[in-house]
Amino acid sequence: LYRAYTNIYLPASSLTVGYQRIPFGVGRIWNPTDILNPSNPLSIEPGERLGIYGANYTYNISDLYQLNSFLTLDVDNFTKDYGYRAVGNLLSYDIALSAIRNDNMRVSGLELDGELLGTGIGMRTEIGYFEDKILDKNYYSYVFGADFAFENSLYLLTEYLVYENGKTNKYEYDLLSFNSRGW
């Protein structure tokens, strides 16, 4: 089962309940702040992400500003994750602040996304601060990215990821832990 949810639309807000994706981050290949539905760049279908069971409430302050709150449930219907996300627009750049909490980790995130000075070059960055109770470490993970779409469908994309879960040597990185965050 890929998705199974229902939406309830209210004036200036909505509530989604069921098996869904609650998106975080602006990276195209890497999403350090998205611990709920992390992307897997090594997957054959990297755009497909597993769903999570929970509730997601969105309040639209205006056309460019909104607040999200969510909670997810585990297989025994106990609260697994919960958090908040504030999204807005500042000087033609989209900006978001987020917080995700669970028993094992606390993640605080910042996202910036926009076009570089009207050139058509999309620029984005995503920064996460992780307080990992299992690893007993605090660390940052961030991505910087740029893309450009030419006429006739040529699309160029680059992203630079820094994953600082306490390692300074890139050869010691465990590539599979990008998705699991050490859980």
Side-chain angles (χ1 to χ4, degrees), residues 108-170:
S108 301
L110 170 68
E111 306 163 20
L112 295 169
D113 189 8
E115 183 181 343
L116 180 65
L117 304 172
T119 61
I121 299 172
M123 302 293 291
R124 74 194 129 285
T125 189
E126 179 180 337
I127 302 167
Y129 178 71
F130 297 81
E131 299 172 42
D132 194 323
K133 294 178 185 175
I134 291 176
L135 296 177
D136 195 26
K137 292 182 182 177
N138 297 343
Y139 58 91
Y140 288 94
S141 184
Y142 46 94
V143 66
F144 298 103
D147 61 7
F148 186 80
F150 293 93
E151 290 184 36
N152 301 321
S153 302
L154 177 62
Y155 179 70
L156 298 176
L157 166 72
T158 184
E159 283 192 348
Y160 179 74
L161 172 72
V162 176
Y163 183 65
E164 296 182 342
N165 75 348
K167 297 184 189 291
T168 57
N169 184 343
K170 68 181 179 181

Side-chain angles (χ1 to χ4, degrees), residues 66-134:
Q66 64 180 208
L67 296 173
N68 280 90
S69 62
F70 70 90
L71 69 90
T72 67
L73 302 177
D74 63 14
V75 294
D76 297 320
N77 288 325
F78 291 110
T79 300
K80 181 177 178 252
D81 304 292
Y82 62 93
Y84 309 93
R85 187 169 185 239
V87 181
N89 190 280
L90 180 64
L91 303 172
S92 298
Y93 285 89
D94 293 330
I95 185 169
L97 298 171
S98 60
I100 303 172
R101 307 290 187 252
N102 61 37
D103 290 341
N104 300 324
M105 184 172 290
R106 297 168 54 99
V107 180
S108 301
L110 170 68
E111 306 163 20
L112 295 169
D113 189 8
E115 183 181 343
L116 180 65
L117 304 172
T119 61
I121 299 172
M123 302 293 291
R124 74 194 129 285
T125 189
E126 179 180 337
I127 302 167
Y129 178 71
F130 297 81
E131 299 172 42
D132 194 323
K133 294 178 185 175
I134 291 176

Side-chain angles (χ1 to χ4, degrees), residues 21-26 31 33-34 36 70 84-85 98 100 111:
R21 177 170 185 262
I22 302 173
F24 278 82
V26 294
N31 289 109
T33 61
D34 194 349
L36 301 177
F70 70 90
Y84 309 93
R85 187 169 185 239
S98 60
I100 303 172
E111 306 163 20

